[in-house]
Coordinates of all heavy atoms in Angstrom, one line a residue:
T1 N 60.4 101.1 0.1 CA 59.3 100.4 -0.4 C 58.0 100.6 0.7 O 58.3 100.9 1.8 CB 59.5 98.9 -0.3 OG1 60.0 98.5 0.9 CG2 60.4 98.5 -1.5
D2 N 56.9 100.5 0.2 CA 55.7 100.7 1.1 C 55.4 99.3 1.7 O 55.8 98.3 1.2 CB 54.5 101.1 0.2 CG 54.6 102.7 -0.2 OD1 55.5 103.3 0.4 OD2 53.8 103.1 -1.0
P3 N 54.8 99.3 2.9 CA 54.5 98.1 3.5 C 53.5 97.3 2.6 O 52.8 97.7 1.9 CB 53.8 98.4 4.8 CG 53.2 99.8 4.5 CD 54.2 100.5 3.7
A4 N 53.6 95.9 2.7 CA 52.9 94.9 1.9 C 51.4 94.8 2.3 O 50.7 94.1 1.7 CB 53.6 93.6 2.0
R5 N 51.1 95.4 3.5 CA 49.8 95.3 4.1 C 48.9 96.5 3.6 O 49.2 97.5 3.7 CB 49.8 95.2 5.6 CG 50.4 93.8 6.1 CD 50.5 93.8 7.5 NE 49.1 93.9 8.2 CZ 48.8 93.8 9.4 NH1 49.8 93.4 10.3 NH2 47.6 93.8 9.9
G6 N 47.6 96.0 3.3 CA 46.7 97.1 2.9 C 45.7 97.5 4.0 O 44.8 98.4 3.9
D7 N 45.8 96.8 5.2 CA 44.8 96.9 6.2 C 45.4 97.8 7.5 O 44.9 97.8 8.5 CB 44.4 95.6 6.8 CG 45.5 94.9 7.4 OD1 46.7 95.0 7.0 OD2 45.2 94.1 8.4
I8 N 46.4 98.5 7.2 CA 47.0 99.4 8.1 C 47.1 100.9 7.6 O 47.4 101.0 6.4 CB 48.5 98.9 8.7 CG1 49.5 98.7 7.6 CG2 48.2 97.7 9.6 CD1 50.9 98.4 8.0
E9 N 47.3 101.8 8.5 CA 47.5 103.1 8.0 C 49.0 103.3 8.0 O 49.6 102.9 9.0 CB 46.8 104.0 9.0 CG 46.9 105.4 8.8 CD 46.4 106.3 10.0 OE1 45.8 105.7 11.0 OE2 46.7 107.5 10.0
F10 N 49.6 104.0 7.1 CA 51.0 104.3 7.2 C 51.3 105.7 6.7 O 50.8 106.3 6.0 CB 51.8 103.2 6.5 CG 52.0 103.3 5.0 CD1 53.0 104.0 4.5 CD2 51.0 102.8 4.2 CE1 53.2 104.2 3.1 CE2 51.1 102.9 2.9 CZ 52.2 103.6 2.2
L11 N 52.4 106.1 7.5 CA 52.9 107.5 7.3 C 54.3 107.4 7.0 O 55.1 106.9 7.9 CB 52.6 108.3 8.7 CG 53.1 109.7 8.7 CD1 52.5 110.6 7.6 CD2 52.7 110.3 10.1
A12 N 54.7 107.8 5.9 CA 56.1 107.7 5.4 C 56.8 109.1 5.8 O 56.4 110.0 5.1 CB 56.2 107.3 4.0
V13 N 57.7 109.1 6.6 CA 58.4 110.3 7.0 C 59.8 110.3 6.8 O 60.5 109.5 7.1 CB 58.2 110.6 8.7 CG1 58.7 112.0 8.9 CG2 56.9 110.3 9.1
P14 N 60.3 111.3 5.9 CA 61.7 111.4 5.5 C 62.6 111.8 6.8 O 63.1 113.0 6.7 CB 61.8 112.3 4.3 CG 60.7 113.2 4.4 CD 59.6 112.5 5.2
A15 N 62.6 111.1 7.8 CA 63.1 111.5 9.1 C 64.5 112.1 9.1 O 64.9 113.0 9.6 CB 63.0 110.4 10.2
D16 N 65.4 111.3 8.4 CA 66.9 111.7 8.3 C 66.9 112.9 7.5 O 67.8 113.9 7.8 CB 67.8 110.6 7.6 CG 67.8 109.4 8.6 OD1 66.9 108.5 8.5 OD2 68.7 109.3 9.4
D17 N 66.2 113.0 6.4 CA 66.4 114.3 5.5 C 65.8 115.5 6.2 O 66.5 116.5 6.3 CB 65.5 114.0 4.3 CG 66.1 112.8 3.6 OD1 67.1 112.5 3.5 OD2 65.1 112.0 2.9
L18 N 64.8 115.4 7.0 CA 64.3 116.5 7.7 C 65.1 116.9 8.8 O 65.4 118.1 9.1 CB 62.8 116.1 8.3 CG 61.7 116.1 7.3 CD1 60.4 115.6 8.0 CD2 61.4 117.4 6.7
A19 N 65.7 116.0 9.6 CA 66.7 116.2 10.6 C 67.9 116.9 10.0 O 68.4 117.9 10.8 CB 67.1 114.9 11.4
L20 N 68.4 116.5 8.8 CA 69.6 117.1 8.3 C 69.2 118.6 7.9 O 70.0 119.5 8.0 CB 69.9 116.2 6.9 CG 71.4 116.3 6.4 CD1 72.2 115.7 7.6 CD2 71.5 115.3 5.3
E21 N 68.1 118.7 7.4 CA 67.7 120.1 7.0 C 67.6 121.1 8.1 O 68.0 122.3 8.0 CB 66.1 120.1 6.4 CG 66.0 119.8 5.0 CD 64.5 119.7 4.6 OE1 63.7 120.4 5.0 OE2 64.3 118.8 3.7
L22 N 67.3 120.5 9.3 CA 67.4 121.3 10.6 C 68.8 121.5 11.2 O 69.0 122.2 12.2 CB 66.5 120.6 11.7 CG 65.0 120.6 11.5 CD1 64.5 119.6 12.5 CD2 64.3 121.8 11.6
G23 N 69.7 120.9 10.4 CA 71.1 121.0 10.9 C 71.4 120.1 12.1 O 72.3 120.3 12.9
S24 N 70.6 119.1 12.3 CA 70.7 118.2 13.5 C 70.5 116.7 13.1 O 69.4 116.1 13.5 CB 69.6 118.7 14.5 OG 69.5 117.8 15.6
P25 N 71.4 116.1 12.3 CA 71.2 114.8 11.7 C 70.9 113.7 12.8 O 70.3 112.8 12.4 CB 72.5 114.6 11.0 CG 73.5 115.6 11.5 CD 72.8 116.7 11.9
K26 N 71.4 113.9 14.1 CA 71.2 112.8 14.9 C 69.7 112.9 15.5 O 69.3 112.0 16.2 CB 72.1 113.0 16.2 CG 73.5 112.4 15.9 CD 74.2 112.3 17.3 CE 75.3 111.4 17.3 NZ 76.3 111.5 16.3
S27 N 68.8 113.8 15.2 CA 67.5 114.0 15.8 C 66.4 113.4 14.9 O 65.3 113.6 15.0 CB 67.2 115.3 16.2 OG 67.3 116.3 15.1
A28 N 66.8 112.6 14.0 CA 65.8 111.8 13.1 C 64.7 111.0 13.9 O 63.6 111.0 13.5 CB 66.4 110.8 12.0
N29 N 65.2 110.5 15.0 CA 64.4 109.8 15.9 C 63.2 110.8 16.5 O 62.1 110.3 16.5 CB 65.2 109.2 17.1 CG 65.8 110.2 17.9 OD1 66.3 111.3 17.6 ND2 66.2 109.8 19.1
M30 N 63.6 112.0 16.7 CA 62.6 112.9 17.2 C 61.6 113.4 16.2 O 60.4 113.5 16.4 CB 63.3 114.2 17.9 CG 64.3 113.9 19.0 SD 63.3 113.5 20.5 CE 64.7 112.8 21.4
V31 N 62.1 113.5 14.9 CA 61.3 113.7 13.8 C 60.2 112.7 13.7 O 58.9 112.9 13.6 CB 62.0 113.9 12.5 CG1 61.1 114.0 11.2 CG2 63.1 115.0 12.5
A32 N 60.6 111.4 13.9 CA 59.6 110.2 13.7 C 58.6 110.3 14.8 O 57.4 110.0 14.6 CB 60.4 108.9 13.7
L33 N 59.1 110.6 16.1 CA 58.2 110.6 17.2 C 57.2 111.8 17.0 O 56.0 111.6 17.3 CB 59.0 110.8 18.5 CG 58.1 110.8 19.9 CD1 57.3 109.5 20.0 CD2 59.0 111.2 20.9
G34 N 57.7 112.9 16.6 CA 56.8 114.0 16.4 C 55.7 113.8 15.4 O 54.5 114.1 15.6
A35 N 56.1 113.0 14.3 CA 55.1 112.7 13.3 C 54.0 111.7 14.0 O 52.8 111.8 13.7 CB 55.8 111.9 12.2
Y36 N 54.5 110.8 14.8 CA 53.6 109.9 15.4 C 52.6 110.7 16.4 O 51.4 110.4 16.3 CB 54.4 108.8 16.4 CG 53.5 108.3 17.4 CD1 52.6 107.2 17.1 CD2 53.6 108.5 18.8 CE1 51.9 106.6 18.1 CE2 52.8 108.0 19.7 CZ 52.0 107.0 19.3 OH 51.2 106.5 20.4
L37 N 53.1 111.6 17.1 CA 52.4 112.4 18.1 C 51.3 113.1 17.4 O 50.1 113.2 17.8 CB 53.2 113.2 18.9 CG 54.2 112.6 19.9 CD1 55.2 113.6 20.4 CD2 53.5 111.9 21.2
A38 N 51.6 113.8 16.2 CA 50.6 114.5 15.5 C 49.5 113.6 14.9 O 48.3 114.0 14.9 CB 51.2 115.3 14.4

C-alpha cells in the first residue's frame, strides 16, 4: 500500500526484488540506501 499522507514525497523501491536480481538477496538494505542517496 502507499502511505496515507499526501504531504510527503515517497519513493517505492522493490528492494528485495532488485537484490534478488543481482543474486544477492541479503543486500536489499543496500538497495534502499542507494535509492535514498540518489
Side-chain angles (χ1 to χ4, degrees):
T1 52
D2 289 344
R5 292 180 59 171
D7 64 334
I8 55 174
E9 183 190 343
F10 78 94
L11 176 60
V13 188
D16 292 88
D17 303 323
L18 290 171
L20 209 55
E21 273 171 37
L22 293 170
S24 176
K26 278 193 153 66
S27 61
N29 59 338
M30 297 292 164
V31 174
L33 181 62
Y36 161 78
L37 292 166

